[in-house]
Structure formats: structure tokens, C-alpha cells
Amino acid sequence: MAAAGAALAPIIENRLLLPPNAGRIRCSSSARGALVVRGAALSEESRKNRSSALKAVAVKGEAPNLTTAKSGHEILLFDALREGLEEEMARDPTVCVIGEDVGHYGGSYKVTKGLAEKFGDLRVLDTPICENSFTGMGIGAAMTGLRTVVEGMNMGFLLLAYNQISNNAGMLHYTSGGQFKIPIVIRGPGGVGKQLGAEHSQRLESYFQSVPGLQMVACSTPYNAKGLMKAAIRSDNPVILYEHVLLYNLKERIPDEEYVLCLEEAELVRPGKDVTILTYSRMRHFVLQAAKTLVERGYDPEIIDIRSLKPFDLFTIGNSIKKTHKVLIVEECMRTGGIGASLRAAIVDNFWDFLDGRPECLSSQDVPTPYAATLEDATVVQPAQIVVKVEQMCQGLV
Amino acid sequence: MLDFPGAKAAFTSRMEFISPNAAEAVPCFRILDDLGRALDGSDIPEVDSSLAVKMYHTMVRLQTFDSIFYEAQRQGRISFYLTNIGEEALNVASAAALTKDDVVFPQYREHGVLMWRGFTLDEFANQCFSNEAGHGKGRQMPIHYGSEKLNYFTISSPIATQLPHAVGAAYGLKMDRKNACAVTYFGDGGSSEGDFHAACNFAAVLEAPVLFVCRNNGYAISTPACEQYKGDGIVVRGRGYGMTSIRVDGNDALAVFKAVSAARKLAVEQSKPVLIEAMTYRVGHHSTSDDSTKYRSGEEIAHWRSVRDPVLRFRRWLESNAWWSVEDEKELRGAARKEVISAMNQAEKKNKPPLSELFTDVYDTLPRNLLEQEATLRDTVSKNPPSLAPH
């Protein structure tokens, strides 16, 4: 493999040396001059700042003011999303929200609470039930100058809008020869919840990841939820922002000052040297839970929340693999055709020479999510499995 | 009175079902008869000689372009083509009633609207030959035109997906209180799509300034209208959505002009949608991939092509006003043919888009994975025969 790739290796290698916001990928934060705070080491001090809802929360050491407990404000994840959305709507009058029950009802998960009162019921638009239609409407509005945020009440319902999302949002910038842009954000709760039934437990990132022209990001903490919401709205590309139905009430202290995150960047949650664990969304928290046990047993995992599902931040991921030589992906997608499947391929293509063993992946079962609680728990990855897998990898048993 | 949230209606003790169709079909508005003579009592819209002649010029140019490019496909010079034959009056007259600020979301059989707005023969030809000069950069199949400058949104093949886009654009226009509306076109077949229902419902509920123009041309590829719907066409559905609607003779340029002008006024002034069902006939095959003699008679096609030709009908009206002559006709037909052939030959000679345009515009800027793919591709191409060489 090395020989065949030799001619290309220098080109690829050079590009991978560049961090995500260098070169031609535009990082929205640098374009706008807002404070950019990127993932950094989990310092001793910040380890002590634990939220009540979470056992291990990453705190950004580079940011000013966050090392003291007094500044910033505590917020729940749904409210952080709302805060980001509200700030962008106040800043830019072309930003508007379209969806079911987003107006006076405030949204099924309260992400748009209070926005209709503040910005009017045209900018926060309640629609009749037709996902394909209001997504199409959002695309048409985006093509003619608005920046629309389309809310799917549950991501799974957006399957009804698949044509609009793939053939239109994803493609029209390309097929029009660059004449029309579609700065749309499509967002909503997805993932496996607590006994919501199969149709409400979809992982849409699996289905949409193939569509050219789309960007996809997944938030997992109040901090990155707000920063990614703002970045997605400012992006000129169509962005799908994946929220998780069980993470809306996560609490965290976030900065008071404005910040916008980089859409293409992964987040280093915990530095380590034994193994690289790549994860996102709800599984990040399962990984952190497993990490407590692993640390107690003397292991040193490096945990990265990939955040950017399309494209992958191969710079951050690659640097980690070069250090640890082992990689485990922990995802909520099903085994077949999920983010993990694509990420494994990308890792094999790019970092083969740095791996001691095959890239491992823990995924959900290839079944529709059953309702019964015990069955549902068995379809998704649990922290205990993560512990076992990491131990096996570190002991050379896989 | 009923006070259910869903409806405010009076009670009745008589159980009476509403019949599936009214006793009479909704009448069809026309101004000119089939021979281009104004009907008694008609209120002819304000169309002076220069506007009328311009409309006629565009119809003839469209007809000429269609006939030559259809043949070009048959000769293998382009891979695909789709004509507007029989719908020239509908295309051009509806476009003439709009302003350049009105945003158009077409299906694919509305080249005349784009031509009216100023898309040149070269621009049409470049797109059909998918050369490097085309606005679409060779990414879409022929006739999938798009022009940001002319407010004509790039065509996407799936049927009726542009209807919700139009509602979204209208929503934006409404918020900005612009003196403009959105206009979207679709066929009798397109009205069966779910997007038609949802877009109409949304437009009415949201009170969006959008015109829904249905080109009821009788066929959806091989499916005749009687197998597409069982109601009285599309116009009757307007009432189902609480939307103003009208049925018009789509082959009568004056009637189309008048109806679309009035509809536009209503949409812009009252911020309401309007449904216009323009009755017409698809004289050509669905596209170059279709042979319609398989499902309709040659006589039927010939009848509509000749006796019911909307371009000839409009020409007769021009002649009756002494705005057009046999000499003018000969000159225009000759000139149009020459111009179209010249545009075609020019477009055919131009280069196809370079490899450097394969990966651009997927996103606003090129992400790493696409840069890598391009590098890999160039490497492959440089090691292989010239047929794959980039330029």
C-alpha cells in the first residue's frame, strides 16, 4: 500500500500537516473576527470544575476567564442552541427559522423558545406538516437571499425531505455553476433516545453523509452546541447540525463573550497516549464515563470528539493516531454504512503506516431500535463495552 | 353555526354528498378565437405593436431553436433535448406579463420564459453542448438552464420540487415587501406530486406572493390527463386550498398575458398566491427519449401542430392589425434559422469544461478531501491515454 501511494504521499502529507482552518477551508471564526476558542488540554484545575449533570466535562484551557468558576454562565444545551440562534438572528436580519411548532410554542425541545415574540412570526415561521415542503421552502428562501434555519421536529422526519436535501440543497450550487448558493442550516434532534420507537431513533448522519455539497456537524455539549449553531448559520454551505434527543438538558458553564467555533474542527476532549478514541454526540459522554474506569486501571486514552462528520478533521485525527498508533471509533450509527464505516476507511487510507492494528469500531446493532428498554439498551454501545475493547486493544488482544 | 376549530359552517339536516365534479367544467378564459380574431365583447389587454412584435419574435426564435436542436440530438451532436412546441404562446406571453424582478422557478419546458428575459442563443447553445462557456459549467444535462442574472433558477429534473422553492422565495419577498412575486411552472403531471399539494397549502396559509402556473398540456410522458386526475383539472384545487384560481386558454397569447398580469397584481398587492391553469397541448414528444406516436395518433399531433398552432394564431392577430406581413415572416424565419445554426456551431466548437471545474462549487471553497481526489485524478490522467487528458 505504501508503494502505490508513494507518489501521492508527499501531496497528501503536506496537506495533512495543515490545521483545519489553514489553506482553502474557510473557518468562519477567522472570517468574522469573533473570539475563537478551540479544543485544548484538560488541565488539572479544570478537571475539578465538574458539572452536576456530567461526570467529565471538557473545559477550554486556552480561553480567558474560564479558569475561575465565577465568570461565564451556566446553561442547558437546548438553551445554548437558542442563545446562539438568537444572537445570530439579532446580528443578521436575513436569518430566519422555519419548522413545525417553532413559533409561539417555542419548539418541541424549546430551542426556539421566545424567539417568535422577539423577532416576529414571519422570521420564526410555523408551518403546516410537510417536511419536504418546508425544507424546499427553506432552500428557495436561501437561494434568494435569506439564511434559513430549518428545524426537523425529529431528524428522522427529515427522511421525508430527502430529495430536497440531496438533490437541491446539496446539488444546486454545483449544478447551477456556482450561481446560486444555499446557506441553509438543517437541524433537529436525532439519535437513539429513551424508548421513542424505531422511527424516532434514526441516525440520519448515516444516510446523508454521502450527499456531495452538504456539510455535517454534531454537537455534544452546551459549549460546542452554541458555537456550532453560530458557525453553521454563518456558513454559505448547506449545513446539517445534528443534536441528540437525550442531551438537551446537559448543563455547562459557557463564556459570556461571543464565540464561534470552526465547523471543520474536531475537539480534543482528553489528551492521552495509549489509544485514540474517536466519538461524537451522545457517545462522547459514554466514552468519558468509560474513561474514568480506564484511568483508574492505569490506561491513558486520548479522546477526540470529531464534531465534524463531513468532512472529517483528519489533521487532528491523524496527529493523534501518529502518537498512539491505535484507534477506536465509538458511534451510535449502525454497523453498516455509518459514520464509523467511513471514518475507518479514511483512517486506513491515510494513516495505515502509523497503525499497530486495525482501526476498531463500536457501533449500534443493525436493527430498527426496539421499544422495550432492555432491548433498546442492547442495541447501542454501552460504557462497559468501551472499557473492554480498550483493554483488549492495549493488551494486544485484538 | 358550527364553531369547530376546523370550519365555521352552517348546519344542515339534509345529508347531501358533494358530487365529485360540478355540472360544468370551469370555463376557460380566451380573447382570440382559433383563427386569431378577437371574440365579441373581448377586452383586449394593452399590448401595443412593439410589445406584440417582440413577443412574436421570441416565439418564432423559440420554435426555430427547438426544431434545430431537436434535429441536432437526432444527429448525435447533443445527447438530449426537450422541446416547447405547442406551448410557445404560454411561455412567452406569461413571461411578458412579469417584471425582471419576479423570480422564476421553472420545471423544464419553459425555455421561452428565459428567452424573453434575455438569455441569448449562445447561452442556450452553450448549456446544451455543456461547454466551458455555459453558466452551469457543464454540470447539468441539456435544457437545464439557470441564470442568476435573469432570476431564473437552475432546473432540477425531479418533478415539482421547485414549487416549495417558489414559496420560500415568495416568503422572502413578502418579508422584504418587494414589488415582486415568485412564479413557478409545472405540468398536469407535476400537479400530482406531493410537493404541489404542500406548496399550494403553504402559500395560501402563509399568504405568500407566488403564482402557480400549471401548463396543462394533456400528457405526462405517455400518461394522458384523464389518467392523471379524476377531478376537473387543476384549477378546481385552488378552492381546496383557499387560493384564487383561473383557467385560461394557454394557446391564446393575449389571454395568457392578461390573466398573468392580473394574477401578478393580486399577488404583489395583496400578498396572496394565485393558481393559473393554462390549457394547452404538448405537440412534441416528451423529449428526445420519447416517441409519442406510441401512445397517441399521428392525426392528433398533426392537428395541434398545424391548425391549433398558438404561434400562427398570434401571428394572424398581428396581421389583422397590420403589424406583421408575409415579408416580415420570411425575413424573421430566415434570420432566426441562421442565428440558431450559427450559435449551435459556435457552441459545438468550444471546449468542454476543464478538470479544474470538476470539484469546484460542491462547497464554497474546496475541502481537503476534494483536493486529494483531484490530485489523485490528475495523477491517473497524466499516466493514461490522451482521451482522458485534462486541458
Side-chain angles (χ1 to χ4, degrees):
Chain A
M1 182 170 221
L8 286 171
I11 304 169
I12 293 171
E13 209 27 63
N14 287 337
R15 263 198 290 286
L16 288 179
L17 285 173
L18 300 172
N21 63 342
R24 297 168 77 174
I25 294 178
R26 188 194 310 158
C27 183
S28 54
S29 51
S30 54
R32 302 289 175 176
L35 178 68
V36 179
V37 182
R38 284 183 265 148
L42 191 67
S43 68
E44 265 316 302
E45 183 144 17
S46 44
R47 263 187 234 265
K48 291 171 188 159
N49 297 336
R50 300 234 168 118
S51 79
S52 49
L54 260 198
K55 297 303 175 183
V57 175
V59 180
K60 312 300 164 287
E62 273 176 16
N65 301 331
L66 278 183
T67 48
T68 64
K70 296 241 183 340
S71 66
H73 55 285
E74 279 204 323
I75 196 166
L76 301 186
L77 196 147
F78 79 87
D79 215 11
L81 288 165
R82 189 204 48 74
E83 213 173 72
L85 183 48
E86 185 173 352
E87 283 175 18
E88 292 304 299
M89 289 182 79
R91 175 184 175 272
D92 181 350
T94 66
V95 180
C96 44
V97 182
I98 300 176
E100 295 156 13
D101 303 304
V102 296
H104 301 285
Y105 189 72
S108 299
Y109 291 91
K110 301 286 168 257
V111 173
T112 55
K113 187 160 187 260
L115 297 183
E117 285 78 16
K118 187 164 176 189
F119 298 106
D121 51 20
L122 210 47
R123 280 185 77 191
V124 186
L125 188 68
D126 275 335
T127 64
I129 307 177
C130 189
E131 285 73 11
N132 200 34
S133 196
F134 63 69
T135 305
M137 199 182 140
I139 292 165
M143 284 201 285
T144 46
L146 295 179
R147 302 192 89 89
T148 44
V149 178
V150 171
E151 173 172 310
M153 189 181 287
N154 184 286
M155 280 301 231
F157 304 158
L158 293 180
L159 288 171
L160 290 154
Y162 206 120
N163 179 75
Q164 289 290 353
I165 294 171
S166 86
N167 283 339
N168 293 327
M171 287 191 198
L172 276 169
H173 187 243
Y174 186 78
T175 58
S176 70
Q179 292 183 87
F180 300 107
K181 66 176 189 191
I182 301 123
I184 193 174
V185 177
I186 297 169
R187 51 156 291 271
V192 177
K194 283 266 178 275
Q195 298 189 271
L196 296 179
E199 298 93 353
H200 297 90
S201 308
Q202 295 271 38
R203 283 124 289 161
L204 273 267
E205 62 269 24
S206 187
Y207 306 144
F208 285 130
Q209 63 174 324
S210 223
V211 178
L214 294 180
Q215 254 191 286
M216 309 199 312
V217 289
C219 63
S220 52
T221 64
Y223 177 78
N224 64 35
K226 179 175 176 183
L228 290 175
M229 169 73 91
K230 289 169 73 83
I233 290 171
R234 296 187 192 192
S235 168
D236 277 348
N237 294 317
V239 178
I240 306 188
L241 168 56
Y242 294 91
E243 299 153 19
H244 197 284
V245 74
L246 294 180
L247 295 183
Y248 282 124
N249 289 328
L250 224 49
K251 193 195 289 189
E252 188 181 13
R253 182 170 290 278
I254 66 172
D256 290 327
E257 54 276 351
E258 189 185 30
Y259 66 96
V260 182
L261 294 177
C262 184
L263 287 177
E264 297 87 11
E265 222 170 56
E267 189 180 316
L268 177 61
V269 180
R270 182 192 188 281
K273 56 174 175 26
D274 288 346
V275 59
T276 298
I277 306 181
L278 305 175
T279 184
Y280 68 95
S281 191
R282 184 174 179 231
M283 287 296 134
R284 166 199 177 126
H285 304 288
F286 276 26
V287 167
L288 287 169
Q289 202 179 319
K292 287 195 313 161
T293 307
L294 288 166
V295 166
E296 278 163 26
R297 293 186 191 176
Y299 297 98
D300 189 23
E302 176 150 292
I303 301 171
I304 293 173
D305 182 336
I306 62 172
R307 273 189 355 206
S308 179
L309 307 182
K310 184 177 170 80
F312 294 132
D313 177 2
L314 292 179
F315 173 74
T316 305
I317 292 170
N319 283 342
S320 179
I321 293 174
K322 286 173 191 171
K323 188 170 48 162
T324 67
H325 310 297
K326 292 184 203 50
V327 62
L328 167 65
I329 300 163
V330 180
E331 62 165 350
E332 207 177 69
C333 282
M334 289 182 274
R335 193 95 181 135
T336 303
I339 296 292
S342 302
L343 189 48
R344 272 215 262 196
I347 289 169
V348 162
D349 280 350
N350 290 288
F351 309 118
W352 178 259
D353 290 334
F354 300 99
L355 291 168
D356 283 347
R358 70 166 183 234
E360 294 286 337
C361 187
L362 289 171
S363 321
S364 296
Q365 314 288 8
D366 278 324
V367 300
T369 311
Y371 171 81
T374 44
L375 292 180
E376 185 180 66
D377 284 344
T379 61
V380 298
V381 178
Q382 298 294 339
Q385 287 169 268
I386 303 170
V387 172
V388 167
K389 181 63 91 172
V390 170
E391 285 191 309
Q392 285 175 338
M393 289 170 75
C394 291
Q395 289 163 24
L397 295 172
V398 284
Chain B
M1 278 299 263
L2 262 177
D3 61 351
F4 288 119
K8 306 266 178 284
F11 281 110
T12 172
S13 330
R14 273 182 58 191
M15 184 187 75
E16 205 176 323
F17 285 87
I18 303 171
S19 67
N21 281 300
E24 307 237 325
V26 169
C28 187
F29 171 61
R30 62 157 42 172
I31 291 174
L32 301 174
D33 68 9
D34 281 331
L35 295 175
R37 298 175 300 206
L39 293 161
D40 286 340
S42 281
D43 188 8
I44 298 184
E46 277 170 36
V47 175
D48 64 10
S49 71
S50 80
L51 177 58
V53 167
K54 186 176 177 210
M55 282 166 66
Y56 185 70
H57 268 232
T58 310
M59 290 185 212
V60 168
R61 205 166 275 121
L62 178 62
Q63 256 187 353
T64 310
F65 193 95
D66 272 353
S67 117
I68 289 170
F69 270 71
Y70 185 88
E71 285 311 313
Q73 192 278 343
R74 282 305 184 235
Q75 293 162 16
R77 293 167 80 174
I78 52 175
S79 69
F80 175 84
Y81 193 73
L82 181 152
T83 64
N84 306 264
I85 308 172
E87 300 181 46
E88 299 89 345
L90 171 45
N91 267 222
V92 174
S94 64
L98 303 172
T99 72
K100 61 177 170 51
D101 294 326
D102 298 322
V103 289
V104 175
F105 290 85
Q107 179 64 72
Y108 46 58
R109 211 182 293 279
E110 298 91 10
H111 317 170
V113 174
L114 187 55
M115 195 176 271
W116 173 265
R117 288 187 161 204
F119 212 56
T120 66
L121 296 178
D122 285 332
E123 288 173 309
F124 278 106
N126 287 335
Q127 199 284 334
C128 286
F129 280 91
S130 61
N131 63 35
E132 64 185 357
H135 298 302
K137 300 182 190 171
R139 280 134 188 197
Q140 257 294 15
M141 53 191 295
I143 69 94
H144 285 59
Y145 309 112
S147 169
E148 194 244 328
K149 204 175 60 140
L150 302 177
N151 277 330
Y152 188 95
F153 283 77
T154 303
I155 291 166
S156 171
S157 310
I159 302 294
T161 60
Q162 71 278 9
L163 267 58
H165 296 172
V167 177
Y171 160 70
L173 292 171
K174 180 187 164 99
M175 281 214 287
D176 292 342
R177 296 207 182 91
K178 284 221 178 104
N179 178 7
C181 64
V183 184
T184 182
Y185 295 81
F186 53 100
D188 38 295
S191 75
S192 295
E193 280 278 0
D195 275 346
F196 166 82
H197 158 75
C200 285
N201 193 35
F202 273 49
V205 168
L206 304 175
E207 294 181 339
V210 51
L211 305 187
F212 292 102
V213 182
C214 177
R215 295 177 294 96
N216 188 336
N217 63 18
Y219 289 91
I221 307 191
S222 71
T223 307
C226 60
E227 285 173 27
Q228 193 68 247
Y229 51 72
K230 283 293 175 221
D232 176 18
I234 283 85
V235 64
V236 286
R237 302 182 202 177
R239 181 154 276 185
Y241 297 112
M243 184 162 56
T244 304
S245 51
I246 188 170
R247 169 174 276 161
V248 65
D249 179 347
N251 285 1
D252 178 347
L254 291 183
V256 170
F257 181 82
K258 187 164 184 184
V260 174
S261 302
R264 183 193 177 275
K265 188 161 186 283
L266 195 159
V268 173
E269 285 175 7
Q270 296 180 36
S271 192
K272 294 246 170 73
V274 182
L275 172 62
I276 300 164
E277 182 183 22
M279 309 306 297
T280 180
Y281 187 85
R282 193 198 77 206
V283 172
H285 306 306
H286 165 71
S287 72
T288 48
S289 310
D290 173 47
D291 173 10
S292 60
T293 59
K294 288 197 164 74
Y295 49 83
R296 54 183 183 175
S297 72
E299 291 82 43
E300 180 186 315
I301 303 172
H303 169 76
W304 285 90
R305 186 188 291 276
S306 56
V307 173
R308 308 290 289 274
D309 177 11
V311 183
L312 177 59
R313 185 173 170 191
F314 191 55
R315 176 183 152 192
R316 292 218 165 103
W317 184 69
L318 266 93
E319 284 169 346
S320 73
N321 287 330
W323 293 342
W324 197 251
S325 71
V326 168
E327 287 77 37
D328 292 328
E329 181 72 14
K330 196 157 157 229
E331 201 189 309
L332 176 60
R333 291 276 172 187
R337 194 173 165 75
K338 260 179 73 185
E339 283 158 20
V340 171
I341 289 174
S342 164
M344 178 169 73
N345 290 335
Q346 300 282 353
E348 194 173 32
K349 285 195 212 112
K350 291 200 173 84
N351 287 329
K352 297 298 181 224
L355 270 186
S356 59
E357 293 290 10
L358 180 58
F359 297 97
T360 49
D361 302 318
V362 178
Y363 296 100
D364 53 352
T365 53
L366 277 162
R368 184 174 293 119
N369 64 319
L370 290 186
L371 283 170
E372 282 166 17
Q373 288 179 19
E374 185 176 352
T376 310
L377 179 62
R378 285 190 183 279
D379 186 61
T380 307
V381 162
S382 69
K383 293 179 174 136
N384 281 279
S387 59
L388 285 180
H391 49 266

